[in-house]
């Protein structure tokens, strides 16, 4: 069992929840509670970021066997609401019991199902490798206000340049340059000035247990999205369109026109439509990236709703076209195409 007060447990969750993997990466879709002989850790990663928050255990809890369980994302809201109902100083005992995690408070208990078969990455090893590389590179260790970093989220990739402890951090993006001042220059006062060697020493005990070759690149953490799922990331959207074009052209070369005419035509239409969509999206992004991102977001929502026929019909009417005539013409085309086959069947009978 591990004991922590409600306020500290809430802080562990809040510090890591934004780094969880998506629902399509089940091993990472939640927050990992990891207990060793000294600390309780909360760990989360979406393969692009990784976050670890820790709480030093009381002396009585340091005699237990290490354990680790991942809290599924679906339960995190219930846990936060349960914690909010008690005073921050109220003690919570966490017990790992087979396929469950049991949270026991002063007046109530919360039990959730967990899967012990999901493989979580070796987060100690992943961070150990990065930290040890940093030890040999530079002593620069500026203190930045994390709240200011979100202001540079303009939907594009950014590059940073560290100038020194008491100098700004430069931030570059496409057609953008910015800087963030260290806390000593921003009217903020950190509790203590800490150098990188000191921070490294404070985590040596934890990270030493990780493997030096640990990685988040394993196939076990690949996202398993449904075929219809569409991303709202504009670069991933473009990548998906190009991949579809290449896939359809490859499939086309393996399709026999004489025996699979409908499939052959479908591959042609898929390739052409996705190539046109990519070219239009690329042009729009070059003209106005914000408008392009807005369109990608809207389309993602429409595809998720799944009512494309209704959307297309309404849009055609608003544009002054006659979708009913399109429908009637297509039905007539299908009827005409079916007539020779029907006549042939009648003559054979």
């Amino acid at each position: 069992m591990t004991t922590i007060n409600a306020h500290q447990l809430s802080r562990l969750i809040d510090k890591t929840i934004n780094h969880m993997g998506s629902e399509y990466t089940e091993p990472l879709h939640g927050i990992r509670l990891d207990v060793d002989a000294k600390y309780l850790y909360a760990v989360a990663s979406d393969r692009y970021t990784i976050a670890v928050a820790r709480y030093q255990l009381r002396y009585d809890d340091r005699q237990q066997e290490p354990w680790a369980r991942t809290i599924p994302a679906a339960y995190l809201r219930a846990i936060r609401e349960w914690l909010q109902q008690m005073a921050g100083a109220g003690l919570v005992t966490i017990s790992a019991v087979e396929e469950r995690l049991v949270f026991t408070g002063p007046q109530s208990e919360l039990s959730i199902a967990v899967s012990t078969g999901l493989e979580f990455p070796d987060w100690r090893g992943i961070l150990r490798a990065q930290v040890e590389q940093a030890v040999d590179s530079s002593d620069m260790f500026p203190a930045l206000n994390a709240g200011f970093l979100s202001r540079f989220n303009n939907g594009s990739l950014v590059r940073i340049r560290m100038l020194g402890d008491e100098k700004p951090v430069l931030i570059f993006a496409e057609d953008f340059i910015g800087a963030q001042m260290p806390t000593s220059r921003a009217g903020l006062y950190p509790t203590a000035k800490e150098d990188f060697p000191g921070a490294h020493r404070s985590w040596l005990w934890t990270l030493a247990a990780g493997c030096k070759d640990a990685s988040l690149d394993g196939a076990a953490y690949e996202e398993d999205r449904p075929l219809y799922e569409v991303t709202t990331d504009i670069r991933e959207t473009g990548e998906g369109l190009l991949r579809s074009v290449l896939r359809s052209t490859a499939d086309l070369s393996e399709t026999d026109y004489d025996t699979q005419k409908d499939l052959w035509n479908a591959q042609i239409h898929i390739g052409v439509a996705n190539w046109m969509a990519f070219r239009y999206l690329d042009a729009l992004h070059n003209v106005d990236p914000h408008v392009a991102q807005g369109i990608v977001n809207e389309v993602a929502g429409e595809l998720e709703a799944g009512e494309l026929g209704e959307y297309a019909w309404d849009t055609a009417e608003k544009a002054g076209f006659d979708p009913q005539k399109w429908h009637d013409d297509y039905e007539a085309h299908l009827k005409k195409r079916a007539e020779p086959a029907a006549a042939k069947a009648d003559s054979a009978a």
Side-chain angles (χ1 to χ4, degrees), residues 162-225:
M162 311 291 288
L163 301 181
D165 282 358
E166 302 300 324
K167 296 182 180 296
V169 173
L170 297 180
I171 299 175
F172 297 85
E174 183 178 2
D175 297 322
F176 177 88
I177 183 173
Q180 179 170 338
M181 306 304 167
T183 53
S184 60
R185 295 276 299 278
L188 301 171
Y189 305 95
T191 55
K193 180 170 176 59
E194 184 178 27
D195 58 12
F196 183 79
H200 179 222
R201 285 192 298 272
S202 71
W203 282 90
L204 272 177
W205 187 87
T206 295
L207 302 182
C211 297
K212 289 187 174 182
D213 58 351
S215 171
L216 276 170
D217 298 333
Y221 311 114
E222 289 297 323
E223 292 192 357
D224 186 20
R225 296 185 180 181

Side-chain angles (χ1 to χ4, degrees), residues 137-171:
S137 59
S138 171
D139 289 334
M140 288 190 296
F141 199 44
L144 302 177
N145 184 311
F148 293 162
L149 292 174
S150 62
R151 299 182 183 181
F152 294 97
N153 179 16
N154 57 17
S156 61
L157 298 175
V158 299
R159 296 180 182 274
I160 63 172
R161 186 71 169 183
M162 311 291 288
L163 301 181
D165 282 358
E166 302 300 324
K167 296 182 180 296
V169 173
L170 297 180
I171 299 175

Side-chain angles (χ1 to χ4, degrees), residues 228-294:
Y228 59 82
E229 179 69 17
V230 61
T231 176
T232 56
D233 183 276
I234 197 166
R235 182 175 175 81
E236 288 187 19
T237 300
E239 179 188 12
L241 291 170
L242 287 175
R243 289 179 63 180
S244 182
V245 171
L246 294 175
R247 188 183 303 117
S248 63
T249 53
D251 291 343
L252 184 66
S253 64
E254 300 177 1
T255 303
D256 182 65
Y257 177 78
D258 295 326
T259 60
Q260 299 174 293
K261 185 178 296 185
D262 288 342
L263 179 58
W264 195 89
N265 286 326
Q267 298 292 355
I268 289 289
H269 290 153
I270 291 172
V272 170
N274 282 297
W275 178 248
M276 292 172 64
F278 173 79
R279 294 286 285 132
Y280 296 153
L281 178 61
D282 185 53
L284 179 59
H285 183 258
N286 287 329
V287 173
D288 193 328
H290 295 292
V291 172
Q293 183 62 65

